[in-house]
Amino acid sequence: AFFGFMFGPAVGFMAGAAGNVVGDLFVGTVSPHWSVANGLIGLIAGMARMMDDEQQSFNVGAAIAGIGGVVAAAFYFAGPDTQLSFLMGLSVLVGAGLAIALRFAFPNRREWALAAVWGSAGVIVGPGLASIAGIWVNGSTLSEAVLGEFIPAAGPSLIALAILLPTWLKTLVARPE
């Protein structure tokens, strides 16, 4: 998400996809649909600055992240006997909410919120599509894909993104005060 936001969608896609392939090689198996998913995270984060109106860009990213969080929470509550803890089940909603809350927590750092909501939108869309692809790749049901793959992958990633991305932007992007 950081590389996508800082250097654009193409760099973000390559960083996410290549990073996932390298990580998979250490494990010993490559999952192409998850490599594309991680590439989509960077690509979508790179779309943050493509709109002329920053407020509209924030609203679109926040809508994607927020809707994804609500849908994931709905699957958790509606799902059959799940093995997810309550906190894990709501982690996608919490992570998306944290990203959106950055706009209000740091009103003078609008780029932090913009990066976080578009990174969160990428985390919703990329792993969401990879989890849905798991229906065909692994033969799982929609409920198994969302509860077993999407929420455990996206929830902690969203929370970490909402915390770490502003920290990286503050540390690595020097801005005169």
Side-chain angles (χ1 to χ4, degrees), residues 54-134:
E54 185 180 273
Q55 181 63 43
Q56 180 185 15
S57 181
F58 175 82
N59 291 342
V60 170
I64 295 168
I67 290 168
V70 169
V71 169
F75 262 93
Y76 171 71
F77 285 119
D81 184 33
T82 179
Q83 300 298 318
L84 296 177
S85 70
F86 181 73
L87 292 176
M88 179 60 87
L90 294 181
S91 62
V92 176
L93 183 61
V94 169
L98 285 172
I100 294 167
L102 285 174
R103 171 64 137 227
F104 308 104
F106 301 101
N108 296 331
R109 303 289 190 189
R110 297 170 66 97
E111 69 275 4
W112 293 1
L114 192 62
V117 297
W118 278 94
S120 295
V123 172
I124 296 289
V125 173
L129 292 175
S131 298
I132 299 302

Side-chain angles (χ1 to χ4, degrees), residues 2-162:
F2 174 79
F3 284 102
F5 182 75
M6 292 303 299
F7 303 110
V11 172
F13 182 84
M14 290 306 299
N20 191 74
V21 169
V22 170
D24 280 354
L25 291 174
F26 282 111
V27 176
T29 179
V30 175
S31 300
H33 59 295
W34 281 98
S35 295
V36 170
N38 283 300
L40 284 174
I41 294 171
L43 183 137
I44 293 171
M47 295 170 63
R49 295 185 175 145
M50 295 185 87
M51 293 183 193
D52 291 333
D53 183 8
E54 185 180 273
Q55 181 63 43
Q56 180 185 15
S57 181
F58 175 82
N59 291 342
V60 170
I64 295 168
I67 290 168
V70 169
V71 169
F75 262 93
Y76 171 71
F77 285 119
D81 184 33
T82 179
Q83 300 298 318
L84 296 177
S85 70
F86 181 73
L87 292 176
M88 179 60 87
L90 294 181
S91 62
V92 176
L93 183 61
V94 169
L98 285 172
I100 294 167
L102 285 174
R103 171 64 137 227
F104 308 104
F106 301 101
N108 296 331
R109 303 289 190 189
R110 297 170 66 97
E111 69 275 4
W112 293 1
L114 192 62
V117 297
W118 278 94
S120 295
V123 172
I124 296 289
V125 173
L129 292 175
S131 298
I132 299 302
I135 294 172
W136 293 278
V137 174
N138 304 327
S140 57
T141 67
L142 178 61
S143 182
E144 291 169 343
V146 172
L147 296 172
E149 293 183 31
F150 175 68
I151 291 176
S157 296
L158 284 166
I159 293 169
L161 182 136

